[in-house]
């Protein structure tokens, strides 16, 4: 996370690698939290490593509503930063485990004659 965009404690929490059974290891290499509409947007570079696949690097964007933005604020408590980090990780893991379900991304149906 850019130091200008958030506190060192949130930066440290977000940059710790995480995983769960059946998942590769995810590590947020860089993240920026900025205001977006009524809430906040996190844009992050995520390193993905696994012994069963080639290493990948993703750019992800996660939007959070206004009521969640206090947990990412520079003056938020360590427990609020921990909660925000959990929400970010949960979103990444949920996407990983549901990425092959249908529909993952809305796609217009093909027309048949």
């Amino acid at each position: 996370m850019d130091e200008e965009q958030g506190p060192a404690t949130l930066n440290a929490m977000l940059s710790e690698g995480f995983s769960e059974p059946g998942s590769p290891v995810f590590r947020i290499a860089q993240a920026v939290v900025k205001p977006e509409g009524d809430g906040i947007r996190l844009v992050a570079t995520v390193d993905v490593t696994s012994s069963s696949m080639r290493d990948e690097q993703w750019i992800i964007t996660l939007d959070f509503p206004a009521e969640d933005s206090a947990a990412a604020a520079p003056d938020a408590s360590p427990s609020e930063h921990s909660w925000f980090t959990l929400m970010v990780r949960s979103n990444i893991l949920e996407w990983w485990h549901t990425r092959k379900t249908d529909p993952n991304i809305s796609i217009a149906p093909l027309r048949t004659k």
Side-chain angles (χ1 to χ4, degrees):
M1 172 178 283
D2 285 351
E3 290 301 320
E4 297 174 6
Q5 300 297 327
T9 56
L10 182 58
N11 179 29
M13 288 179 185
L14 287 171
S15 67
E16 292 176 10
F18 63 97
S19 187
E20 66 180 16
S23 299
V25 174
F26 302 97
R27 184 178 176 281
I28 298 175
Q30 179 182 12
V32 175
V33 177
K34 59 185 178 182
E36 183 67 31
D38 290 338
I40 57 172
R41 174 170 285 172
L42 175 120
V43 179
T45 302
V46 180
D47 295 328
V48 184
T49 57
S50 171
S51 60
S52 64
M53 60 182 251
R54 70 176 180 15
D55 291 354
E56 298 179 355
Q57 189 173 66
W58 304 341
I59 306 288
I60 63 164
T61 301
L62 298 172
D63 291 320
F64 295 90
E67 57 268 17
D68 293 346
S69 62
D75 60 347
S77 70
S79 62
E80 289 174 306
H81 289 163
S82 181
W83 178 86
F84 184 77
T85 300
L86 177 63
M87 293 301 98
V88 170
R89 291 176 177 180
S90 295
N91 275 278
I92 293 169
L93 289 168
E94 179 181 21
W95 177 83
W96 176 258
H97 288 293
T98 61
R99 73 193 185 286
K100 293 181 181 177
T101 60
D102 190 28
N104 186 19
I105 299 173
S106 299
I107 299 173
L110 296 175
R111 287 188 164 173
T112 58
K113 292 185 176 187

